[in-house]
Amino acid sequence: SNIHATISFFTNELGFTRDECTSVVLSYPSVLMHSIDNRLRPTVEFLQIKIGGGKENWISWKNVILSYPHLFSHSLEKTLLPKVDFLRGFDKSDTEKRLLVLNKSEVSQVVAKFPPTLWLSEENLISKLEFLAESLGLDENELRTLVVSYPQVLGLSLENNLRPKMEFFLHPNTTIFHVPLREMCSIQERDAGMNCGLSKRQLKEFVLYQPALLAYSLEKRLKPRIKHMQKHKISFFYSPKSIMSYTDEKFELWMSTQVTTWSVSEE
């Protein structure tokens, strides 16, 4: 039967254990309905050859399949291959501006770290890439560095995550797409009176050093810590670039040591 053939494919050809097969099937039952020759095997070969690493790097792609088995639901011709062309910049003519151009090794890193990059729509990715480049003043190389080091940023919501973070971090007079940030902010943000007041250059330094800064909760981590620092006249800009990755205990310890004037807020 097709079920037994599929299980055999995973165990004999791909080296999955019975427990790993069970995990894949429970997470994505429809995998049992896909053709081995027309869908499963070509997708595996796509990971090994087109994305890179080959069979000797199979453990990495095996983990991708275990974590995202619905990868098999996406068409090679309609979704996966075109997305690789997009990431490589092959989807543009020589006269068109390429927003992001990655080499094969960089594409492999991006997919290994954040597989959903392969099935997020191009419109979705372009809107985020353009917003990040504009908000942080990133050039092409800096944008590529950000995406390769932390591709998870592409999975963050533009309206519910990235835009509110920029409104919080950047000075209200900062312009994004020629519009002053103060005119883009919600009434709640303006009334709250909380803003880090950073320039694009200053925020870019933080983000390129620790891209995960954009993924931390605005309400549960970023705002409370910044508010605590502002209360004690401590400038966020002069704090350690990894300050938001600190555990609560480490953060409080750092705060308790700030008795010198180097970190005093600028008035």
Side-chain angles (χ1 to χ4, degrees), residues 21-228:
C21 284
T22 300
S23 175
V24 168
V25 172
L26 289 176
S27 298
Y28 181 58
S30 295
V31 72
L32 298 174
M33 307 300 294
H34 290 310
S35 165
I36 294 174
D37 292 330
N38 297 327
R39 177 59 64 90
L40 301 183
R41 189 176 288 113
T43 301
V44 170
E45 291 175 349
F46 162 80
L47 291 175
Q48 293 177 322
I49 300 171
K50 187 70 175 181
I51 298 298
K55 293 185 177 180
E56 64 275 11
N57 192 39
W58 174 237
I59 188 65
S60 296
W61 303 122
K62 179 181 177 181
N63 289 333
V64 166
I65 292 173
L66 283 169
S67 299
Y68 297 91
H70 64 279
L71 164 70
F72 291 112
S73 71
H74 298 285
S75 166
L76 270 176
E77 292 72 23
K78 295 180 180 179
T79 302
L80 304 182
L81 289 170
K83 191 57 52 62
V84 171
D85 287 342
F86 169 79
L87 295 173
R88 295 294 304 275
F90 294 162
D91 62 325
K92 301 292 184 182
S93 69
D94 291 338
T95 59
E96 290 183 285
K97 178 177 174 58
R98 294 170 173 82
L99 190 61
L100 186 70
V101 180
L102 307 180
N103 60 38
K104 185 173 182 178
S105 174
E106 291 169 334
V107 170
S108 179
Q109 292 177 63
V110 167
V111 173
K113 293 176 183 176
F114 189 61
T117 304
L118 287 173
W119 53 84
L120 289 172
S121 71
E122 288 188 15
E123 293 75 16
N124 182 299
L125 294 176
I126 289 173
S127 66
K128 294 170 185 175
L129 290 169
E130 289 180 340
F131 183 78
L132 287 166
E134 172 66 19
S135 300
L136 300 173
L138 301 172
D139 61 28
E140 183 179 315
N141 288 332
E142 290 168 334
L143 182 61
R144 185 176 69 249
T145 296
L146 173 60
V147 170
V148 174
S149 63
Y150 192 71
Q152 292 89 336
V153 71
L154 299 176
L156 301 177
S157 166
L158 178 58
E159 296 302 325
N160 299 323
N161 195 310
L162 294 176
R163 194 180 299 278
K165 298 278 176 62
M166 297 305 174
E167 292 178 1
F168 174 67
F169 281 121
L170 293 171
H171 191 282
N173 290 332
T174 304
T175 58
I176 297 180
F177 298 117
H178 309 294
V179 178
L181 196 60
R182 63 178 180 275
E183 296 180 14
M184 300 169 61
C185 294
S186 64
I187 293 177
Q188 287 182 324
E189 286 298 319
R190 290 198 296 268
D191 290 346
M194 277 200 68
N195 183 276
C196 289
L198 300 180
S199 67
K200 288 184 179 182
R201 179 188 61 79
Q202 290 172 328
L203 181 56
K204 176 169 70 174
E205 285 185 26
F206 272 95
V207 172
L208 289 180
Y209 183 87
Q210 189 188 36
L213 175 69
L214 297 176
Y216 291 122
S217 169
L218 188 58
E219 300 299 331
K220 295 181 179 180
R221 174 162 299 198
L222 300 178
K223 282 186 177 181
R225 291 192 177 184
I226 296 297
K227 185 175 182 179
H228 191 36

